[in-house]
Amino acid sequence: MSAQSGPASTSQALDPGFDPFADAVLADPYPAWARVREAGAAVHIPLHDVWAIGRYADVREALRDAETFSSAGGVGLRRLADPVEAGLPSGVDPPELDRYRRLMGAQLGPRHLPKLGDMIRIRAEDLVADLLARGTFDAVQDWGRTFPVEILGDLVGLPVQGRERLPQWAAAVFDNFGPENERSTAAQPLLDDLIRYIGEVVTRENLDPDGMGAKVFEAADRGEVNEVEAMSVIMTFLVSGMGTTSDALAQLLLLLAEHPDQWAALRANPALIPGAFEEVLRYDAPVQAFFRHVTCDTEVDGVKVPAGARAMLLFGAANRDGRKWADPDRFDVGRNPVDHLAFGSGAHSCAGQALARLEAKALLVALVGKVARIEPAGEPRRRLGHVSRALESVPVRVVPA
């Protein structure tokens, strides 16, 4: 891994008891991520025997170097025995990954989404009109967890009953990426429910024959993937597409309620809408970290990381790195940070990012046209997750234009 420009840095130890999974860090990770960035390009955390990488250029380069920073065995802190049986292509390296990516891109790639634009726009307008009539609602339950579940659930071809639990199950998957503790233990029954749902509901006979799920099974029939791999692709749609988009949409509304000047800027110049969603993702990434296995001795900007180490790639820290972003802790809808790392980078960049952007844009366009103000209507509550940055409840009030 090549060094950044400038003098080589040396690793400086954090407090030996530093725990990136402590409740205080999960509640507000950015002060901790700043300490990690300043401690070194790669910093060993003894408590979990993991190397934290938090500077933008280093995280981006590691994400693009799958040979050195391998996803094989999973992208959690604890290695999984069999990444395919575990159900997520995120635990497969190129070139084996390529067939998954081709299959996911055929369903969710940007070339295949324009035809969905009108449907998503109409549903966004309907949702905004309904919430405007109510006046006060919860940005998590009534907005963030409603829209992507409806859109992606219909695209995959899922039965309506049961799909409402998908964001909750996705959160449990992300909790399982962290250390073995009370949080991961609490996630296990939900993971069992998800596996049961996949096995009993997400089947050939239950899926809409015109949906993406059915098309994935057709690809299996053609021999492009096997049956287990086909289920892995569908599970990726459901976990990544539901969980991260739900969290990002709720965060979007919270930030606009907390920053009325930024909402006013959007209303005054709707051309800022696409960049505003990118800024939400940069400012508070829905996935704060993923992990990699270091396959050989390497250097991260002069810091030696040994073969066999586990690396913690801090998306949230990279997106607040002052080496990359001016005034990085300020939320600014005019910034348009299209090169943020909230969707990852390289071979494992998020396959559903085009759909997430399409959904967010449709919702923001509908809001700008009908809503004068977005106001907090109560205290938001966060859900502490091992790698996810999620909200449990965000009461908001919308005032018609």
Side-chain angles (χ1 to χ4, degrees), residues 78-329:
R78 296 168 291 153
R79 289 174 58 84
L80 300 175
D82 186 335
V84 174
E85 291 291 346
L88 294 176
S90 57
V92 180
D93 285 329
E96 291 80 10
L97 176 65
D98 296 345
R99 65 179 182 275
Y100 291 97
R101 298 294 297 191
R102 284 193 296 270
L103 185 53
M104 290 187 287
Q107 308 303 323
L108 290 175
R111 291 179 301 170
H112 303 273
L113 292 178
K115 60 185 179 182
L116 303 175
D118 286 344
M119 178 270 288
I120 291 175
R121 175 183 56 79
I122 291 169
R123 293 194 183 189
E125 291 174 351
D126 289 345
L127 177 61
V128 169
D130 175 65
L131 296 177
L132 192 58
R134 293 165 57 178
T136 301
F137 59 93
D138 192 297
V140 176
Q141 300 298 334
D142 303 323
W143 164 276
R145 291 183 184 172
T146 297
F147 198 68
V149 168
E150 178 183 330
I151 297 297
L152 192 55
D154 285 353
L155 289 179
V156 172
L158 296 177
V160 173
Q161 186 174 4
R163 64 164 75 163
E164 71 281 353
R165 297 191 64 192
L166 283 165
Q168 182 185 21
W169 288 331
V173 171
F174 290 131
D175 278 347
N176 200 45
F177 288 170
E180 189 170 356
N181 59 15
E182 295 86 353
R183 188 167 285 112
S184 56
T185 299
Q188 191 57 53
L190 295 172
L191 295 175
D192 294 340
D193 287 345
L194 172 59
I195 297 301
R196 191 177 303 112
Y197 175 82
I198 295 289
E200 296 177 358
V201 177
V202 188
T203 62
R204 291 173 181 264
E205 56 270 21
N206 287 335
L207 295 176
D208 186 325
D210 295 323
M212 294 192 308
K215 290 182 172 62
V216 170
F217 282 122
E218 290 170 7
D221 292 338
R222 294 192 299 268
E224 297 174 20
V225 291
N226 62 38
E227 288 287 327
V228 173
E229 292 165 347
M231 291 303 301
S232 298
V233 169
I234 295 174
M235 190 169 177
T236 296
F237 290 158
L238 302 183
V239 170
S240 300
M242 297 288 188
T244 55
T245 305
S246 296
D247 293 337
L249 290 177
Q251 185 67 34
L252 163 71
L253 221 53
L254 173 62
L255 286 170
L256 292 174
E258 292 178 337
H259 298 81
D261 60 321
Q262 299 300 301
W263 175 242
L266 277 184
R267 293 203 70 221
N269 184 8
L272 296 176
I273 284 174
F277 185 56
E278 306 299 332
E279 175 67 351
V280 170
L281 295 167
R282 181 203 69 83
Y283 185 82
D284 216 358
V287 175
Q288 290 282 302
F290 276 146
F291 299 81
R292 296 291 191 268
H293 172 68
V294 180
T295 62
C296 60
D297 291 346
T298 189
E299 290 191 1
V300 180
D301 195 17
V303 178
K304 294 181 179 180
V305 179
R310 204 72 172 157
M312 184 178 188
L313 306 183
L314 292 169
F315 299 178
N319 284 343
R320 295 282 192 104
D321 187 357
R323 298 164 185 81
K324 168 67 175 177
W325 316 103
D327 199 4
D329 295 320

Side-chain angles (χ1 to χ4, degrees), residues 39-111:
V43 184
H44 186 244
I45 299 176
L47 193 61
H48 298 287
D49 192 20
V50 66
W51 289 78
I53 301 174
R55 297 176 183 174
Y56 177 89
D58 300 319
V59 174
R60 184 175 185 273
E61 190 171 353
L63 287 168
R64 289 169 171 259
D65 182 3
E67 290 188 8
T68 305
F69 292 88
S70 169
S71 298
V75 294
L77 178 65
R78 296 168 291 153
R79 289 174 58 84
L80 300 175
D82 186 335
V84 174
E85 291 291 346
L88 294 176
S90 57
V92 180
D93 285 329
E96 291 80 10
L97 176 65
D98 296 345
R99 65 179 182 275
Y100 291 97
R101 298 294 297 191
R102 284 193 296 270
L103 185 53
M104 290 187 287
Q107 308 303 323
L108 290 175
R111 291 179 301 170

Side-chain angles (χ1 to χ4, degrees), residues 12-20 32 35-36 39 43-48:
Q12 304 173 32
L14 293 168
D15 179 336
F18 173 72
D19 186 357
R35 295 198 300 274
V36 170
V43 184
H44 186 244
I45 299 176
L47 193 61
H48 298 287

